[in-house]
Each structure stands twice: as structure tokens, then as C-alpha cells.
Amino acid sequence: MNEILVELRNVNCRLGDRQVFVGLDLTVEKGEIVSVVGVSGVGKSTLLKVIGGLVPVDEGIVRVFGQDLIVLSEEEVNERVRSRMGFVFQSGALFDWMTVEQNVLFPLIYGRRWGREGIKEGVERARGLIQLMGLEGAQDLLPAQLSGGMRKRVAIARALVAQPDLVLYDEPTSGLDPVMAGIIDDLIVRLRDQLGVTGIVVTHDLSSAIRCSDRIGMLHKGKMTACVPAHEFSRLDDPVVQQFVKGESVGPLTESR
């Protein structure tokens, strides 16, 4: 068994008057790409925030890189956990007034663990990532001058510049055409194969999840209904999974909403 990078056990989490997770379990091993699918509003993005220590839980175990997030201070979470993570936000979350290269460099320039002496090395790394993302010639452009797919690739490059062990992807193909979505999926796999980056992807796009994942889990009613090898997911006889796979309007998913 490979090293477990993320372990959630019996996690309960309430946000305001809404119970988001009830006995949620999930493990992710080093070198895996695990996608979590589900209908809108089920808590997929909240799951990433729990793993990143951005949303506290009421009960259960949240362990990342062997660190128990529940007992760590905010400073300890930053130093021991978030410093080893990259985040790719659904919107890209690029800074409009910064060029592509400046956006990619941002975590190194403003991250507390990087001093000025490391910036030269960081610039070389950022330029290498820009090239890896197929963005040659775009380094001096502003986000408003980029297509949606280009902005997603810039966001991924920024997430990788500090050489994280784990990247959390929030709807990385949302709003993209099928061809660009396929490019992003292939890129996520290539980053794992070439750089050893473990990935957790939350998405409502099943075809994307099947393309890029080792395992797929489905979030439903605060729990992980299934978490199986990607090629097995569509064949599960669980009625919740089958309604999601077939996109049917009638079934347990719509009844619960």
C-alpha cells in the first residue's frame, strides 16, 4: 500500500443550519488522482476546503500528510500542510492586473517560506511551467487577454510553482469546450506521471472524471456513496450512481433535492 496523503474518517461538518457531511470517509494515496463527483450544491468544493484546513469540522478525523488538522493551529496548518499543497480554483482566481508570469510567480514572491534569494530560481521554474502548459508567448499577457482554457492552465501553473505534493482541483474543466476539457484532463494526468503530483479533482463532469482519474467517488447526502476504480464507476448498480451516469430527471438524486 502506498503512503496515504489524505485521510478523512467519519467526518461531520455543518455550515450554518446546513449539514454538509455526515460520516464522510475518503482516503487518497500518494500518486493517485481521485475525482469526486456529485450534483451541484452537494458539498464538493467544501470537501476541498476541509482538506485544505479552510473549513473546520465538527467531528471525525482529517489527516493530511500525516498531520491531524483538527489539533493544529492556523500557523501550523500553513507550515505543515498548505505549504505542500496547490489549489486550482474554479474561476481560476487570477489577478487581473498581473501578467501571466507574475500570476504564476505569486506564491513564491509572497509565500513566507520563499526569500528574495529564491526568486531567480522561481522565475526559471515559472517560465518552465508556462512552457509546459503550452503558453509560450503569453507570459506578458493579462488575464483579460486569455481564453478560458488559457486561464485554467495559468491557474494550474501557479498551483505547481511551489512544487506541491498535492493539488486540489475545483471544477478544472468547468465552462470549457470538450476539446479544451480533454486537454486539461490530459494535463492533470501528465503532471502526475511526470512530476509525481497527487490530485484530488471535484467535478460534475463524469466524462472528465473518467478520463483523468484512478478512482471516482460520488458524494451524496453527506457521504461518499461509492469510491471505485474509474472504469468501474459507470457499471455500479447503485441507483444514485446510475441516475447521475444517465442524467435522468427522475430518481433518488432529484427526490432528495
Side-chain angles (χ1 to χ4, degrees):
M1 187 180 195
N2 292 332
E3 177 187 355
I4 294 177
L5 293 194
V6 177
E7 180 181 14
L8 277 65
R9 296 290 184 195
N10 198 32
V11 168
N12 293 339
C13 176
R14 177 181 288 275
L15 295 178
D17 59 357
R18 178 183 168 220
Q19 190 72 41
V20 184
F21 302 132
V22 184
L24 175 70
D25 295 326
L26 177 68
T27 59
V28 179
E29 295 183 359
K30 184 177 182 179
E32 267 196 310
I33 300 172
V34 174
S35 285
V36 177
V37 300
V39 296
S40 298
V42 77
K44 300 187 300 295
S45 295
T46 301
L47 176 63
L48 295 186
K49 293 174 183 177
V50 166
I51 293 169
L54 299 172
V55 169
V57 302
D58 302 311
E59 292 181 85
I61 294 171
V62 180
R63 190 174 288 124
V64 184
F65 306 128
Q67 302 290 321
D68 186 347
L69 268 58
I70 294 174
V71 302
L72 296 181
S73 67
E74 182 71 9
E75 183 176 358
E76 289 170 332
V77 171
N78 278 330
E79 293 177 355
R80 302 181 190 180
V81 178
R82 293 191 194 116
S83 65
R84 298 177 62 185
M85 282 183 177
F87 295 84
V88 178
F89 301 98
Q90 181 176 350
S91 63
L94 302 181
F95 297 103
D96 293 340
W97 61 91
M98 290 185 177
T99 65
V100 165
E101 184 172 294
Q102 289 168 339
N103 266 285
V104 174
L105 273 170
F106 181 83
L108 301 188
I109 295 173
Y110 294 95
R112 287 187 298 173
R113 68 194 185 101
W114 282 84
R116 290 184 177 275
E117 68 279 358
I119 297 302
K120 181 179 179 180
E121 176 189 344
V123 169
E124 294 174 356
R125 185 181 307 152
R127 290 174 178 171
L129 285 167
I130 289 169
Q131 183 175 5
L132 180 65
M133 298 297 145
L135 294 166
E136 302 95 330
Q139 62 269 13
D140 295 324
L141 298 180
L142 295 171
Q145 298 172 289
L146 307 177
S147 68
M150 293 172 76
R151 287 194 294 270
K152 294 277 188 179
R153 283 179 279 161
V154 174
I156 293 172
R158 183 177 62 185
L160 291 170
V161 75
Q163 298 180 309
D165 297 304
L166 172 68
V167 174
L168 308 180
Y169 301 90
D170 190 357
E171 300 281 6
T173 61
S174 176
L176 302 181
D177 64 71
V179 173
M180 183 52 64
I183 290 172
I184 296 297
D185 293 334
D186 291 345
L187 181 59
I188 291 171
V189 174
R190 185 150 45 99
L191 294 173
R192 189 273 308 278
D193 294 343
Q194 294 182 3
L195 303 179
V197 179
T198 302
I200 302 176
V201 182
V202 301
T203 182
H204 63 271
D205 185 343
L206 181 58
S207 59
S208 174
I210 291 172
R211 275 195 302 264
C212 74
S213 308
D214 297 300
R215 288 188 294 136
I216 299 175
M218 180 156 187
L219 194 56
H220 176 61
K221 288 188 174 181
K223 294 185 177 183
M224 204 63 68
T225 297
C227 194
V228 299
H231 67 276
E232 296 180 8
F233 185 82
S234 296
R235 299 200 298 265
L236 292 175
D237 58 8
D238 186 312
V240 171
V241 172
Q242 282 306 308
Q243 185 186 0
F244 186 81
V245 169
K246 296 174 182 177
E248 295 175 334
S249 60
V250 178
L253 288 173
T254 42
E255 289 168 4
S256 67
R257 301 178 81 186

